[in-house]
Amino acid sequence: MVKRDIDKGRRMADVFDYGSTAALKTALRSLHKLRLSAEQGCPTAQAILIDLKTALGEYKSDEVLGRVVVTDRQKEAIVLHLIDDRSLQETAQLLGVDPTAISHRVASGLKRMMHFLQTGRAA
């Protein structure tokens, strides 16, 4: 999903690499900081925050309505492990599954999010 930085006129893809798993993980781990920047009026942070929240299913847009970008299991693993900064083992204990399952859920969820953020369509 390509958004425009209103102040700069640049595509968000020029500011943030939605095709990189590492960049996406970093953005999710920094979600709290992104929220603060967005609240302070940073248009780039606002656009990235909207993109990430839409991909996580927190915002329902016309493009996503009726389609799931990430499953509930993927979302809870991503939120607990990346956003809440819990270890794989701790996340696995909280969800009652093996750490390997959490790793798989996070990886597959990130892949689905990247597809959506690049194309604007749920996989």
Short mmCIF file of all heavy atoms in Angstrom, two decimals, residues 53-123:
data_model
loop_
_atom_site.label_atom_id
_atom_site.label_comp_id
_atom_site.label_asym_id
_atom_site.label_seq_id
_atom_site.Cartn_x
_atom_site.Cartn_y
_atom_site.Cartn_z
N LYS A 53 -1.17 -0.68 11.24
CA LYS A 53 -2.40 -1.04 11.96
C LYS A 53 -3.43 -1.64 11.00
O LYS A 53 -4.16 -2.55 11.38
CB LYS A 53 -2.96 0.18 12.68
CG LYS A 53 -2.16 0.53 13.90
CD LYS A 53 -2.80 1.69 14.64
CE LYS A 53 -2.47 1.58 16.10
NZ LYS A 53 -3.45 2.28 16.93
N THR A 54 -3.47 -1.14 9.78
CA THR A 54 -4.39 -1.72 8.79
C THR A 54 -3.97 -3.16 8.48
O THR A 54 -4.81 -4.06 8.44
CB THR A 54 -4.43 -0.88 7.50
OG1 THR A 54 -4.84 0.44 7.83
CG2 THR A 54 -5.39 -1.48 6.48
N ALA A 55 -2.68 -3.39 8.30
CA ALA A 55 -2.18 -4.73 8.00
C ALA A 55 -2.43 -5.69 9.17
O ALA A 55 -2.64 -6.88 8.96
CB ALA A 55 -0.69 -4.68 7.67
N LEU A 56 -2.45 -5.16 10.40
CA LEU A 56 -2.72 -5.99 11.57
C LEU A 56 -4.22 -6.15 11.83
O LEU A 56 -4.62 -6.82 12.76
CB LEU A 56 -2.04 -5.41 12.82
CG LEU A 56 -0.54 -5.63 12.92
CD1 LEU A 56 0.04 -4.82 14.07
CD2 LEU A 56 -0.23 -7.11 13.09
N GLY A 57 -5.02 -5.50 11.02
CA GLY A 57 -6.47 -5.65 11.16
C GLY A 57 -7.10 -4.71 12.17
O GLY A 57 -8.24 -4.90 12.57
N GLU A 58 -6.37 -3.69 12.60
CA GLU A 58 -6.91 -2.74 13.57
C GLU A 58 -7.75 -1.66 12.91
O GLU A 58 -8.60 -1.06 13.55
CB GLU A 58 -5.79 -2.12 14.39
CG GLU A 58 -5.12 -3.16 15.28
CD GLU A 58 -4.03 -2.58 16.16
OE1 GLU A 58 -4.14 -1.40 16.55
OE2 GLU A 58 -3.09 -3.31 16.47
N TYR A 59 -7.49 -1.37 11.65
CA TYR A 59 -8.29 -0.42 10.89
C TYR A 59 -8.93 -1.19 9.76
O TYR A 59 -8.28 -1.99 9.10
CB TYR A 59 -7.44 0.69 10.28
CG TYR A 59 -6.81 1.63 11.27
CD1 TYR A 59 -5.53 2.12 11.06
CD2 TYR A 59 -7.49 2.06 12.41
CE1 TYR A 59 -4.94 3.00 11.94
CE2 TYR A 59 -6.90 2.94 13.29
CZ TYR A 59 -5.63 3.41 13.06
OH TYR A 59 -5.05 4.27 13.94
N LYS A 60 -10.16 -0.93 9.49
CA LYS A 60 -10.84 -1.56 8.37
C LYS A 60 -10.95 -0.54 7.24
O LYS A 60 -11.64 0.45 7.36
CB LYS A 60 -12.25 -2.04 8.76
CG LYS A 60 -12.25 -3.02 9.90
CD LYS A 60 -11.53 -4.30 9.56
CE LYS A 60 -11.58 -5.27 10.73
NZ LYS A 60 -10.60 -6.28 10.65
N SER A 61 -10.21 -0.75 6.19
CA SER A 61 -10.28 0.15 5.05
C SER A 61 -11.08 -0.53 3.94
O SER A 61 -11.33 -1.72 3.98
CB SER A 61 -8.88 0.49 4.53
OG SER A 61 -8.33 -0.60 3.84
N ASP A 62 -11.49 0.25 2.97
CA ASP A 62 -12.24 -0.31 1.84
C ASP A 62 -11.44 -1.39 1.13
O ASP A 62 -12.00 -2.35 0.61
CB ASP A 62 -12.58 0.78 0.83
CG ASP A 62 -13.57 1.78 1.40
OD1 ASP A 62 -14.31 1.42 2.34
OD2 ASP A 62 -13.62 2.90 0.90
N GLU A 63 -10.12 -1.25 1.11
CA GLU A 63 -9.28 -2.21 0.40
C GLU A 63 -9.20 -3.56 1.13
O GLU A 63 -8.96 -4.58 0.52
CB GLU A 63 -7.87 -1.66 0.23
CG GLU A 63 -7.82 -0.41 -0.62
CD GLU A 63 -6.43 0.17 -0.62
OE1 GLU A 63 -5.59 -0.36 -1.36
OE2 GLU A 63 -6.18 1.14 0.10
N VAL A 64 -9.37 -3.54 2.45
CA VAL A 64 -9.17 -4.74 3.23
C VAL A 64 -10.49 -5.32 3.71
O VAL A 64 -10.57 -6.48 4.07
CB VAL A 64 -8.29 -4.44 4.47
CG1 VAL A 64 -7.95 -5.70 5.22
CG2 VAL A 64 -7.03 -3.74 4.06
N LEU A 65 -11.54 -4.53 3.70
CA LEU A 65 -12.82 -4.94 4.27
C LEU A 65 -13.21 -6.32 3.76
O LEU A 65 -13.27 -6.57 2.57
CB LEU A 65 -13.89 -3.92 3.90
CG LEU A 65 -15.09 -3.85 4.83
CD1 LEU A 65 -14.66 -3.60 6.26
CD2 LEU A 65 -16.04 -2.77 4.38
N GLY A 66 -13.48 -7.20 4.69
CA GLY A 66 -13.90 -8.54 4.33
C GLY A 66 -12.77 -9.51 4.06
O GLY A 66 -12.99 -10.69 3.88
N ARG A 67 -11.54 -9.02 4.03
CA ARG A 67 -10.39 -9.89 3.79
C ARG A 67 -9.44 -9.80 4.98
O ARG A 67 -9.23 -8.73 5.52
CB ARG A 67 -9.65 -9.48 2.52
CG ARG A 67 -10.48 -9.79 1.27
CD ARG A 67 -9.79 -9.28 0.06
NE ARG A 67 -10.33 -7.94 -0.17
CZ ARG A 67 -9.74 -7.01 -0.88
NH1 ARG A 67 -8.59 -7.25 -1.44
NH2 ARG A 67 -10.29 -5.83 -1.04
N VAL A 68 -8.86 -10.90 5.35
CA VAL A 68 -7.94 -10.93 6.48
C VAL A 68 -6.51 -10.85 5.96
O VAL A 68 -6.11 -11.63 5.11
CB VAL A 68 -8.13 -12.24 7.29
CG1 VAL A 68 -7.11 -12.34 8.41
CG2 VAL A 68 -9.54 -12.33 7.84
N VAL A 69 -5.77 -9.87 6.47
CA VAL A 69 -4.36 -9.76 6.09
C VAL A 69 -3.56 -10.78 6.88
O VAL A 69 -2.83 -11.59 6.31
CB VAL A 69 -3.82 -8.33 6.30
CG1 VAL A 69 -2.33 -8.27 5.99
CG2 VAL A 69 -4.58 -7.34 5.44
N VAL A 70 -3.68 -10.75 8.21
CA VAL A 70 -3.03 -11.76 9.06
C VAL A 70 -4.12 -12.47 9.86
O VAL A 70 -5.15 -11.88 10.18
CB VAL A 70 -1.98 -11.16 10.02
CG1 VAL A 70 -0.80 -10.59 9.26
CG2 VAL A 70 -2.58 -10.10 10.93
N THR A 71 -3.89 -13.72 10.17
CA THR A 71 -4.85 -14.48 10.97
C THR A 71 -4.79 -14.00 12.42
O THR A 71 -3.82 -13.33 12.82
CB THR A 71 -4.55 -15.99 10.92
OG1 THR A 71 -3.31 -16.23 11.59
CG2 THR A 71 -4.50 -16.51 9.49
N ASP A 72 -5.78 -14.36 13.20
CA ASP A 72 -5.78 -13.99 14.62
C ASP A 72 -4.57 -14.56 15.33
O ASP A 72 -3.95 -13.90 16.16
CB ASP A 72 -7.06 -14.46 15.30
CG ASP A 72 -8.28 -13.67 14.87
OD1 ASP A 72 -8.13 -12.53 14.36
OD2 ASP A 72 -9.41 -14.18 15.03
N ARG A 73 -4.20 -15.79 15.01
CA ARG A 73 -3.03 -16.42 15.64
C ARG A 73 -1.74 -15.70 15.26
O ARG A 73 -0.85 -15.51 16.10
CB ARG A 73 -2.93 -17.89 15.25
CG ARG A 73 -3.98 -18.74 15.90
CD ARG A 73 -3.84 -20.18 15.47
NE ARG A 73 -4.79 -21.02 16.17
CZ ARG A 73 -4.90 -22.30 16.00
NH1 ARG A 73 -4.10 -22.92 15.15
NH2 ARG A 73 -5.79 -22.98 16.67
N GLN A 74 -1.62 -15.32 14.00
CA GLN A 74 -0.44 -14.58 13.56
C GLN A 74 -0.38 -13.22 14.26
O GLN A 74 0.68 -12.81 14.73
CB GLN A 74 -0.45 -14.40 12.04
CG GLN A 74 -0.23 -15.68 11.28
CD GLN A 74 -0.53 -15.55 9.80
OE1 GLN A 74 -1.29 -14.68 9.37
NE2 GLN A 74 0.03 -16.44 9.01
N LYS A 75 -1.53 -12.56 14.33
CA LYS A 75 -1.58 -11.24 14.96
C LYS A 75 -1.16 -11.32 16.43
O LYS A 75 -0.34 -10.53 16.88
CB LYS A 75 -2.98 -10.64 14.85
CG LYS A 75 -3.08 -9.28 15.50
CD LYS A 75 -4.47 -8.70 15.38
CE LYS A 75 -4.56 -7.38 16.11
NZ LYS A 75 -5.87 -6.76 16.00
N GLU A 76 -1.71 -12.28 17.18
CA GLU A 76 -1.37 -12.35 18.60
C GLU A 76 0.11 -12.68 18.79
O GLU A 76 0.76 -12.15 19.70
CB GLU A 76 -2.29 -13.29 19.37
CG GLU A 76 -2.19 -14.74 19.04
CD GLU A 76 -3.24 -15.60 19.75
OE1 GLU A 76 -4.02 -15.09 20.57
OE2 GLU A 76 -3.26 -16.81 19.46
N ALA A 77 0.68 -13.51 17.93
CA ALA A 77 2.12 -13.82 18.02
C ALA A 77 2.95 -12.58 17.70
O ALA A 77 3.94 -12.30 18.40
CB ALA A 77 2.47 -14.97 17.07
N ILE A 78 2.58 -11.84 16.67
CA ILE A 78 3.31 -10.62 16.29
C ILE A 78 3.21 -9.58 17.40
O ILE A 78 4.21 -8.96 17.78
CB ILE A 78 2.77 -10.07 14.95
CG1 ILE A 78 3.21 -10.98 13.80
CG2 ILE A 78 3.25 -8.64 14.72
CD1 ILE A 78 2.53 -10.68 12.48
N VAL A 79 2.01 -9.39 17.93
CA VAL A 79 1.82 -8.38 18.98
C VAL A 79 2.63 -8.74 20.22
O VAL A 79 3.37 -7.90 20.76
CB VAL A 79 0.32 -8.20 19.32
CG1 VAL A 79 0.14 -7.38 20.59
CG2 VAL A 79 -0.42 -7.54 18.16
N LEU A 80 2.51 -9.98 20.69
CA LEU A 80 3.22 -10.37 21.91
C LEU A 80 4.74 -10.38 21.71
O LEU A 80 5.48 -9.88 22.55
CB LEU A 80 2.75 -11.74 22.39
CG LEU A 80 1.35 -11.79 22.99
CD1 LEU A 80 0.92 -13.24 23.21
CD2 LEU A 80 1.28 -11.00 24.28
N HIS A 81 5.19 -10.96 20.61
CA HIS A 81 6.64 -11.13 20.40
C HIS A 81 7.33 -9.84 19.94
O HIS A 81 8.35 -9.45 20.50
CB HIS A 81 6.90 -12.26 19.41
CG HIS A 81 8.35 -12.50 19.15
ND1 HIS A 81 9.27 -12.78 20.15
CD2 HIS A 81 9.06 -12.47 18.00
CE1 HIS A 81 10.47 -12.92 19.64
NE2 HIS A 81 10.37 -12.75 18.32
N LEU A 82 6.78 -9.18 18.93
CA LEU A 82 7.47 -8.01 18.38
C LEU A 82 7.06 -6.70 19.05
O LEU A 82 7.92 -5.90 19.43
CB LEU A 82 7.23 -7.92 16.87
CG LEU A 82 7.78 -9.08 16.04
CD1 LEU A 82 7.43 -8.90 14.58
CD2 LEU A 82 9.29 -9.20 16.22
N ILE A 83 5.77 -6.47 19.18
CA ILE A 83 5.32 -5.18 19.71
C ILE A 83 5.49 -5.11 21.23
O ILE A 83 6.00 -4.12 21.76
CB ILE A 83 3.86 -4.89 19.29
CG1 ILE A 83 3.79 -4.80 17.76
CG2 ILE A 83 3.35 -3.62 19.94
CD1 ILE A 83 2.39 -4.72 17.19
N ASP A 84 5.09 -6.17 21.93
CA ASP A 84 5.23 -6.19 23.40
C ASP A 84 6.61 -6.67 23.84
O ASP A 84 6.89 -6.73 25.04
CB ASP A 84 4.15 -7.07 24.03
CG ASP A 84 2.76 -6.48 23.89
OD1 ASP A 84 2.64 -5.28 23.52
OD2 ASP A 84 1.78 -7.20 24.14
N ASP A 85 7.47 -7.03 22.88
CA ASP A 85 8.87 -7.39 23.12
C ASP A 85 9.04 -8.56 24.08
O ASP A 85 9.89 -8.55 24.96
CB ASP A 85 9.64 -6.17 23.63
CG ASP A 85 11.15 -6.34 23.47
OD1 ASP A 85 11.57 -7.04 22.53
OD2 ASP A 85 11.90 -5.78 24.30
N ARG A 86 8.23 -9.60 23.88
CA ARG A 86 8.38 -10.81 24.68
C ARG A 86 9.22 -11.81 23.89
O ARG A 86 9.20 -11.82 22.67
CB ARG A 86 7.01 -11.41 25.00
CG ARG A 86 6.15 -10.50 25.85
CD ARG A 86 4.79 -11.12 26.07
NE ARG A 86 3.86 -10.21 26.68
CZ ARG A 86 3.63 -10.12 27.99
NH1 ARG A 86 4.30 -10.89 28.82
NH2 ARG A 86 2.75 -9.27 28.45
N SER A 87 9.91 -12.67 24.60
CA SER A 87 10.73 -13.69 23.94
C SER A 87 9.83 -14.72 23.27
O SER A 87 8.63 -14.80 23.57
CB SER A 87 11.63 -14.39 24.97
OG SER A 87 10.84 -15.18 25.83
N LEU A 88 10.42 -15.52 22.37
CA LEU A 88 9.65 -16.60 21.74
C LEU A 88 9.12 -17.56 22.80
O LEU A 88 7.98 -18.00 22.74
CB LEU A 88 10.51 -17.35 20.73
CG LEU A 88 10.79 -16.67 19.40
CD1 LEU A 88 11.77 -17.49 18.57
CD2 LEU A 88 9.50 -16.44 18.63
N GLN A 89 9.98 -17.88 23.78
CA GLN A 89 9.59 -18.82 24.83
C GLN A 89 8.44 -18.26 25.67
O GLN A 89 7.48 -18.97 25.98
CB GLN A 89 10.79 -19.16 25.73
CG GLN A 89 11.85 -19.98 25.06
CD GLN A 89 12.72 -19.17 24.08
OE1 GLN A 89 12.75 -17.94 24.12
NE2 GLN A 89 13.39 -19.86 23.18
N GLU A 90 8.53 -17.00 26.06
CA GLU A 90 7.49 -16.38 26.87
C GLU A 90 6.17 -16.29 26.09
O GLU A 90 5.10 -16.59 26.62
CB GLU A 90 7.93 -14.98 27.32
CG GLU A 90 6.97 -14.33 28.28
CD GLU A 90 7.44 -12.95 28.72
OE1 GLU A 90 8.48 -12.46 28.24
OE2 GLU A 90 6.74 -12.36 29.56
N THR A 91 6.26 -15.91 24.83
CA THR A 91 5.07 -15.84 23.97
C THR A 91 4.45 -17.22 23.83
O THR A 91 3.23 -17.37 23.93
CB THR A 91 5.43 -15.26 22.59
OG1 THR A 91 6.02 -13.96 22.76
CG2 THR A 91 4.22 -15.14 21.70
N ALA A 92 5.28 -18.23 23.61
CA ALA A 92 4.79 -19.60 23.48
C ALA A 92 4.08 -20.06 24.75
O ALA A 92 3.02 -20.68 24.69
CB ALA A 92 5.94 -20.54 23.14
N GLN A 93 4.66 -19.74 25.91
CA GLN A 93 4.03 -20.12 27.17
C GLN A 93 2.67 -19.43 27.32
O GLN A 93 1.70 -20.07 27.73
CB GLN A 93 4.93 -19.73 28.35
CG GLN A 93 6.02 -20.71 28.63
CD GLN A 93 6.80 -20.31 29.87
OE1 GLN A 93 7.01 -19.13 30.14
NE2 GLN A 93 7.25 -21.30 30.62
N LEU A 94 2.61 -18.15 27.02
CA LEU A 94 1.36 -17.41 27.15
C LEU A 94 0.26 -17.98 26.25
O LEU A 94 -0.91 -18.00 26.63
CB LEU A 94 1.56 -15.93 26.82
CG LEU A 94 2.32 -15.11 27.86
CD1 LEU A 94 2.69 -13.74 27.30
CD2 LEU A 94 1.48 -14.96 29.12
N LEU A 95 0.67 -18.44 25.07
CA LEU A 95 -0.31 -18.95 24.11
C LEU A 95 -0.48 -20.47 24.17
O LEU A 95 -1.34 -21.03 23.47
CB LEU A 95 0.07 -18.52 22.69
CG LEU A 95 0.10 -17.00 22.46
CD1 LEU A 95 0.54 -16.68 21.05
CD2 LEU A 95 -1.24 -16.37 22.78
N GLY A 96 0.34 -21.12 24.98
CA GLY A 96 0.21 -22.57 25.16
C GLY A 96 0.62 -23.38 23.96
O GLY A 96 0.02 -24.42 23.68
N VAL A 97 1.64 -22.91 23.26
CA VAL A 97 2.15 -23.63 22.08
C VAL A 97 3.67 -23.70 22.14
O VAL A 97 4.30 -23.10 23.01
CB VAL A 97 1.70 -22.95 20.75
CG1 VAL A 97 0.19 -22.97 20.62
CG2 VAL A 97 2.23 -21.55 20.64
N ASP A 98 4.25 -24.40 21.20
CA ASP A 98 5.70 -24.56 21.09
C ASP A 98 6.32 -23.27 20.54
O ASP A 98 5.72 -22.62 19.69
CB ASP A 98 5.98 -25.73 20.15
CG ASP A 98 7.44 -26.09 20.13
OD1 ASP A 98 7.90 -26.76 21.07
OD2 ASP A 98 8.11 -25.69 19.16
N PRO A 99 7.52 -22.88 20.98
CA PRO A 99 8.18 -21.69 20.44
C PRO A 99 8.35 -21.73 18.91
O PRO A 99 8.32 -20.70 18.25
CB PRO A 99 9.54 -21.68 21.14
CG PRO A 99 9.32 -22.41 22.42
CD PRO A 99 8.29 -23.46 22.09
N THR A 100 8.50 -22.95 18.36
CA THR A 100 8.62 -23.08 16.90
C THR A 100 7.35 -22.60 16.22
O THR A 100 7.40 -21.97 15.16
CB THR A 100 8.91 -24.54 16.52
OG1 THR A 100 10.07 -24.97 17.22
CG2 THR A 100 9.14 -24.68 15.03
N ALA A 101 6.20 -22.86 16.83
CA ALA A 101 4.92 -22.41 16.27
C ALA A 101 4.85 -20.88 16.27
O ALA A 101 4.37 -20.28 15.31
CB ALA A 101 3.75 -22.99 17.06
N ILE A 102 5.36 -20.26 17.33
CA ILE A 102 5.37 -18.79 17.40
C ILE A 102 6.27 -18.23 16.31
O ILE A 102 5.90 -17.29 15.61
CB ILE A 102 5.84 -18.32 18.80
CG1 ILE A 102 4.87 -18.80 19.88
CG2 ILE A 102 5.99 -16.79 18.82
CD1 ILE A 102 3.43 -18.36 19.69
N SER A 103 7.43 -18.83 16.16
CA SER A 103 8.36 -18.38 15.12
C SER A 103 7.71 -18.46 13.74
O SER A 103 7.81 -17.54 12.93
CB SER A 103 9.63 -19.22 15.17
OG SER A 103 10.54 -18.80 14.19
N HIS A 104 7.02 -19.57 13.49
CA HIS A 104 6.34 -19.76 12.20
C HIS A 104 5.21 -18.75 12.03
O HIS A 104 5.05 -18.17 10.95
CB HIS A 104 5.80 -21.18 12.09
CG HIS A 104 5.04 -21.42 10.82
ND1 HIS A 104 5.64 -21.51 9.59
CD2 HIS A 104 3.71 -21.54 10.60
CE1 HIS A 104 4.71 -21.68 8.67
NE2 HIS A 104 3.52 -21.71 9.26
N ARG A 105 4.42 -18.53 13.08
CA ARG A 105 3.31 -17.58 13.00
C ARG A 105 3.80 -16.16 12.72
O ARG A 105 3.21 -15.43 11.92
CB ARG A 105 2.49 -17.59 14.29
CG ARG A 105 1.67 -18.84 14.47
CD ARG A 105 0.95 -18.84 15.80
NE ARG A 105 0.31 -20.13 16.04
CZ ARG A 105 -0.35 -20.43 17.14
NH1 ARG A 105 -0.49 -19.53 18.10
NH2 ARG A 105 -0.89 -21.62 17.28
N VAL A 106 4.88 -15.78 13.39
CA VAL A 106 5.44 -14.44 13.17
C VAL A 106 5.96 -14.32 11.75
O VAL A 106 5.65 -13.36 11.04
CB VAL A 106 6.55 -14.12 14.20
CG1 VAL A 106 7.32 -12.86 13.82
CG2 VAL A 106 5.96 -13.98 15.61
N ALA A 107 6.72 -15.30 11.29
CA ALA A 107 7.29 -15.24 9.94
C ALA A 107 6.20 -15.22 8.87
O ALA A 107 6.26 -14.41 7.94
CB ALA A 107 8.23 -16.43 9.71
N SER A 108 5.20 -16.09 9.01
CA SER A 108 4.15 -16.12 7.99
C SER A 108 3.28 -14.86 8.06
O SER A 108 2.84 -14.34 7.04
CB SER A 108 3.30 -17.38 8.12
OG SER A 108 2.71 -17.48 9.38
N GLY A 109 3.06 -14.34 9.27
CA GLY A 109 2.31 -13.10 9.41
C GLY A 109 3.04 -11.92 8.78
O GLY A 109 2.44 -11.09 8.09
N LEU A 110 4.35 -11.85 9.00
CA LEU A 110 5.15 -10.78 8.40
C LEU A 110 5.13 -10.87 6.87
O LEU A 110 5.04 -9.85 6.18
CB LEU A 110 6.59 -10.83 8.90
CG LEU A 110 6.80 -10.42 10.36
CD1 LEU A 110 8.26 -10.67 10.77
CD2 LEU A 110 6.41 -8.97 10.59
N LYS A 111 5.20 -12.09 6.36
CA LYS A 111 5.16 -12.29 4.91
C LYS A 111 3.83 -11.77 4.35
O LYS A 111 3.79 -11.08 3.33
CB LYS A 111 5.34 -13.77 4.58
CG LYS A 111 5.38 -14.07 3.11
CD LYS A 111 5.63 -15.55 2.87
CE LYS A 111 5.58 -15.86 1.38
NZ LYS A 111 5.78 -17.28 1.11
N ARG A 112 2.72 -12.09 5.03
CA ARG A 112 1.40 -11.63 4.59
C ARG A 112 1.28 -10.11 4.69
O ARG A 112 0.71 -9.46 3.82
CB ARG A 112 0.31 -12.32 5.40
CG ARG A 112 0.19 -13.81 5.08
CD ARG A 112 -0.80 -14.47 6.00
NE ARG A 112 -2.14 -13.96 5.75
CZ ARG A 112 -3.16 -14.70 5.38
NH1 ARG A 112 -3.02 -16.00 5.25
NH2 ARG A 112 -4.34 -14.17 5.18
N MET A 113 1.83 -9.55 5.77
CA MET A 113 1.80 -8.09 5.94
C MET A 113 2.60 -7.41 4.83
O MET A 113 2.17 -6.41 4.27
CB MET A 113 2.36 -7.69 7.31
CG MET A 113 1.44 -7.98 8.46
SD MET A 113 2.16 -7.54 10.06
CE MET A 113 2.17 -5.74 9.94
N MET A 114 3.78 -7.95 4.52
CA MET A 114 4.61 -7.36 3.47
C MET A 114 3.89 -7.40 2.13
O MET A 114 3.91 -6.42 1.39
CB MET A 114 5.97 -8.08 3.37
CG MET A 114 6.90 -7.70 4.47
SD MET A 114 8.61 -8.33 4.35
CE MET A 114 8.52 -9.70 3.28
N HIS A 115 3.24 -8.51 1.83
CA HIS A 115 2.49 -8.62 0.58
C HIS A 115 1.40 -7.54 0.52
O HIS A 115 1.25 -6.84 -0.47
CB HIS A 115 1.86 -10.01 0.44
CG HIS A 115 0.98 -10.15 -0.75
ND1 HIS A 115 1.48 -10.32 -2.02
CD2 HIS A 115 -0.38 -10.10 -0.88
CE1 HIS A 115 0.47 -10.39 -2.88
NE2 HIS A 115 -0.68 -10.26 -2.20
N PHE A 116 0.66 -7.39 1.61
CA PHE A 116 -0.39 -6.39 1.66
C PHE A 116 0.17 -4.97 1.52
O PHE A 116 -0.35 -4.15 0.76
CB PHE A 116 -1.18 -6.50 2.97
CG PHE A 116 -2.11 -5.35 3.18
CD1 PHE A 116 -3.29 -5.24 2.46
CD2 PHE A 116 -1.80 -4.36 4.10
CE1 PHE A 116 -4.13 -4.16 2.63
CE2 PHE A 116 -2.64 -3.28 4.29
CZ PHE A 116 -3.82 -3.18 3.55
N LEU A 117 1.23 -4.68 2.24
CA LEU A 117 1.80 -3.34 2.23
C LEU A 117 2.41 -2.98 0.88
O LEU A 117 2.45 -1.82 0.50
CB LEU A 117 2.84 -3.19 3.36
CG LEU A 117 2.23 -3.22 4.76
CD1 LEU A 117 3.33 -3.38 5.81
CD2 LEU A 117 1.40 -1.97 5.02
N GLN A 118 2.86 -3.97 0.14
CA GLN A 118 3.42 -3.72 -1.17
C GLN A 118 2.36 -3.65 -2.27
O GLN A 118 2.51 -2.91 -3.23
CB GLN A 118 4.46 -4.80 -1.53
CG GLN A 118 5.71 -4.71 -0.70
CD GLN A 118 6.66 -5.85 -0.99
OE1 GLN A 118 6.24 -6.98 -1.20
NE2 GLN A 118 7.93 -5.54 -1.01
N THR A 119 1.29 -4.43 -2.12
CA THR A 119 0.32 -4.53 -3.20
C THR A 119 -1.04 -3.91 -2.87
O THR A 119 -1.81 -3.63 -3.78
CB THR A 119 0.05 -6.01 -3.58
OG1 THR A 119 -0.60 -6.65 -2.46
CG2 THR A 119 1.35 -6.73 -3.95
N GLY A 120 -1.32 -3.74 -1.57
CA GLY A 120 -2.62 -3.24 -1.17
C GLY A 120 -3.70 -4.31 -1.15
O GLY A 120 -4.87 -4.03 -0.96
N ARG A 121 -3.29 -5.57 -1.34
CA ARG A 121 -4.24 -6.69 -1.36
C ARG A 121 -3.83 -7.73 -0.34
O ARG A 121 -2.65 -8.03 -0.17
CB ARG A 121 -4.27 -7.33 -2.74
CG ARG A 121 -4.80 -6.43 -3.85
CD ARG A 121 -4.93 -7.18 -5.16
NE ARG A 121 -3.71 -7.85 -5.56
CZ ARG A 121 -2.77 -7.33 -6.36
NH1 ARG A 121 -2.94 -6.13 -6.85
NH2 ARG A 121 -1.71 -8.02 -6.68
N ALA A 122 -4.85 -8.29 0.31
CA ALA A 122 -4.58 -9.39 1.25
C ALA A 122 -4.22 -10.62 0.45
O ALA A 122 -4.73 -10.83 -0.65
CB ALA A 122 -5.82 -9.65 2.10
N ALA A 123 -3.31 -11.41 1.02
CA ALA A 123 -2.85 -12.63 0.31
C ALA A 123 -3.91 -13.70 0.31
O ALA A 123 -4.75 -13.78 1.13
CB ALA A 123 -1.58 -13.15 0.96
#
